[in-house]
Amino acid sequence: MQSCPKLLGQGFWREQKISQTNPAYQQCISLACKATYDIDEVRVACQKCGDLLDVVYDWDRLRVPSSLAAFEQKWAQRSDPHCLSGVWRFHDLLPFVPVEQCVTVGEGQTLLLPSEGVAKYAGLRPGRLLLQYEGMNPSGSFKDNGMSAAFSHARFVGATRAACASTGNTSASLALYCSVTRLMKAVIFIGSGKISYGKLSQALDFGALTVQINGDFDDAMARVKEVSQQLGIYLVNSVNPFRLEGQKTIMYRVLEALRWEVPDWIVVPGGNLGNSSAFGKAFRELHQLGLIDRMPRLAVINATGADTLYELVEKREFRWNHGSPDLDKAVRYFDEMDAQHRRASTIASAIEINRPVNLNKCIRALEWCDGVVRKVSDQQILDAKARVGAGGLGCEPASAASVAGTKLLVSEGVIGPDERVVCILTGHQLKDPTATVAYHTTDQDQFNKVLGSRGVRRAAFANRAVAVPNNLDEIIKAIRLYS
Ligand code: F0G
């Protein structure tokens, strides 16, 4: 074939070069492009077509256990921090840098627990609903899974500063990794008035340079991309493909807790769509490696006030189409959104996002996992959150979207009452005490100020504080009355 080099183009040659050197590389997710990049290149988009990048592995050249149960052996080596880490004990499934070079602050020590109260609330039979509690991470949210991976890559490429835009949890996580390891300086971008105090307090306390811009998360995200490119700062938002490698391990731990059985459903809140994208990739790879025999179904839950994914997938049939998505559908949607000056608005501030950066990866995950998308109101989110809290594993509002979404899908008959459902509780309850206290308050003004303005009318599961005079008899009377 005399015209080979011209016809096949640079991508072909790069692919050849890379596969001969490193079994891990980066690749554009667009099947029409498939450009590849070395593992030590710092990119958040394909240089050729602008689409997202994946971290891809040539598994034939890597050492992958023949069964998932082999990972249990790591438990015997818990004195090694990389075996203790809930991310790096699965290093064989995300081997983009050598394990000795991976950064850990003890992330991923999380729990999968059944909740009878929440199962009943959602309409599932006892034992069928499990909560994956990511609030136990060092910074109190699932972000630490991805941050340990992005941070490891950042160190690998010699970065000295790392940046993110955030609704609060990414920034808390980045700030924590920077302050604990002293390896990099954190620069975080937040929207004004858009971040809960629990999260803001973490970034400030951990010493991050906190840049508050006049705008919302979508504005901050657009700006941080420009700034980090101009100043050569390493970007750790979930457009960073290494972040998502770390977030795959949430699913490995779910499987581990289920003795390596695949659940019927994974239900996850959708914001920037990093988790849903990572979960789809995790299961796809396990399936291709023959380590699981079937894929679970995926449900991604938007808040009503930030429902881009729902609108595009469920209303406008935006699909991955085996790698040929009709990208114009998304472009048209965003043009309309801009023309109408629509802004995201929900009490679940963590997912108050109208321009999810991982949209294309998420629709791919939905195809791989036969997924569905739903939206739930702030009222549904807060009621679900109160039921989760009553069970003892408090979560922040965004996390409870997974439970509210499960209840909705059960009521629609999409999820059967006997199916095994895992809801991801993405962040700790103490991240956003304002929403929780306002829900339970007896002070109508406080309720209206925080929640009424968001269309929340009642607190069906409120646990009201009892006001009693500072008098022993009155206190005893009140306790007898209410207990
Ligand atoms: N739940 C919580 C608690 C979050 O903080 C986020 C995202 C999500 C869910 C949504 O996850 O983006 O993977 O779909 N928080 C980001 C942040 C945007 O900046 O902390 P996603």
Side-chain angles (χ1 to χ4, degrees), residues 141-143 165-171 199 217 237-238 243 247 269-276 350-351 353 396 398-399 426-427:
S141 86
F142 75 92
K143 300 287 178 181
S166 187
T167 55
N169 280 327
T170 306
S171 50
K199 302 173 190 181
F217 173 82
N237 278 102
S238 53
R243 260 273 310 268
Q247 285 167 221
N272 234 356
L273 307 179
N275 261 343
S276 42
I351 52 173
I353 296 171
E396 64 169 284
S399 312
T426 46

Side-chain angles (χ1 to χ4, degrees), residues 344-356:
S345 175
T346 166
I347 191 79
S349 58
I351 52 173
E352 194 176 58
I353 296 171
N354 261 354
R355 289 180 179 275

Side-chain angles (χ1 to χ4, degrees), residues 266-441:
I266 301 288
V267 189
V268 62
N272 234 356
L273 307 179
N275 261 343
S276 42
S277 301
F279 298 172
K281 185 172 189 280
F283 286 116
R284 173 83 165 181
E285 286 171 349
L286 292 182
H287 198 240
Q288 288 182 330
L289 287 166
L291 292 170
I292 54 173
D293 54 9
R294 68 180 178 92
M295 300 284 281
R297 294 191 70 188
L298 181 67
V300 186
I301 314 298
N302 274 165
T304 305
D307 60 352
T308 296
L309 184 71
Y310 174 78
E311 282 294 322
L312 278 171
V313 171
E314 299 292 341
K315 298 287 180 199
R316 304 189 184 201
E317 296 189 349
F318 181 47
R319 298 279 188 278
W320 179 242
N321 274 336
H322 306 284
S324 306
D326 180 359
L327 297 174
D328 283 345
K329 279 189 184 167
V331 172
R332 274 197 300 277
Y333 180 80
F334 289 124
D335 285 348
E336 281 171 34
M337 198 163 83
D338 289 343
Q340 295 163 9
H341 305 290
R342 277 207 319 270
R343 289 285 172 179
S345 175
T346 166
I347 191 79
S349 58
I351 52 173
E352 194 176 58
I353 296 171
N354 261 354
R355 289 180 179 275
V357 295
N358 287 298
L359 181 60
N360 293 353
K361 278 188 182 174
C362 179
I363 56 166
R364 184 179 68 169
L366 289 168
E367 181 173 291
W368 286 342
C369 296
D370 190 14
V372 297
V373 185
R374 290 293 182 271
K375 61 177 177 177
V376 289
S377 67
D378 285 1
Q379 178 79 62
Q380 290 169 302
I381 287 174
L382 289 180
D383 287 340
K385 185 179 116 51
R387 295 325 295 153
V388 171
L393 293 182
C395 67
E396 64 169 284
S399 312
S402 60
V403 171
T406 300
K407 182 173 165 60
L408 178 64
L409 287 163
V410 172
S411 75
E412 290 175 354
V414 176
I415 296 182
D418 280 318
E419 290 195 279
R420 181 138 79 162
V421 180
V422 175
C423 293
I424 314 299
L425 296 186
T426 46
H428 199 282
Q429 187 229 28
L430 295 176
K431 290 280 190 172
D432 188 358
T434 312
T436 308
V437 173
Y439 185 87
H440 292 292
T441 189

Side-chain angles (χ1 to χ4, degrees), residues 104-293:
T104 176
V105 301
E107 59 288 318
Q109 309 298 319
T110 58
L111 279 179
L112 182 76
L113 287 177
S115 171
E116 298 318 324
V118 180
K120 194 166 170 212
Y121 176 68
L124 290 168
R125 296 222 207 288
R128 304 317 282 171
L129 186 140
L130 299 116
L131 301 172
Q132 172 66 15
Y133 191 47
E134 290 295 316
M136 287 172 73
N137 273 291
S139 79
S141 86
F142 75 92
K143 300 287 178 181
D144 297 343
N145 295 283
M147 200 55 67
S148 65
F151 219 77
S152 299
H153 184 252
R155 179 164 80 161
F156 181 66
V157 298
T160 54
R161 281 183 300 182
C164 68
S166 187
T167 55
N169 280 327
T170 306
S171 50
S173 181
L174 173 61
L176 182 142
Y177 274 79
C178 285
S179 62
V180 171
T181 63
R182 304 267 151 205
L183 290 169
M184 266 166 268
K185 286 250 179 278
V187 183
I188 66 166
F189 282 57
I190 55 172
S192 52
K194 291 290 185 183
I195 173 170
S196 70
Y197 266 21
K199 302 173 190 181
L200 180 60
S201 63
Q202 291 180 289
L204 297 175
D205 230 17
F206 299 150
L209 169 59
T210 305
V211 183
Q212 193 162 21
I213 68 155
N214 191 7
D216 61 12
F217 173 82
D218 294 319
D219 298 314
M221 189 67 233
R223 285 283 172 246
V224 78
K225 275 186 183 170
E226 294 166 350
V227 171
S228 49
Q229 189 165 21
Q230 205 159 323
L231 298 182
I233 304 178
Y234 188 93
L235 188 63
V236 297
N237 278 102
S238 53
V239 275
N240 178 321
F242 299 94
R243 260 273 310 268
L244 301 195
E245 289 305 287
Q247 285 167 221
K248 291 192 308 190
T249 65
I250 302 171
M251 292 301 103
Y252 304 153
R253 297 197 300 273
V254 164
L255 292 177
E256 184 179 49
L258 295 175
R259 306 301 300 169
W260 312 110
E261 271 180 33
V262 178
D264 297 308
W265 286 91
I266 301 288
V267 189
V268 62
N272 234 356
L273 307 179
N275 261 343
S276 42
S277 301
F279 298 172
K281 185 172 189 280
F283 286 116
R284 173 83 165 181
E285 286 171 349
L286 292 182
H287 198 240
Q288 288 182 330
L289 287 166
L291 292 170
I292 54 173
D293 54 9

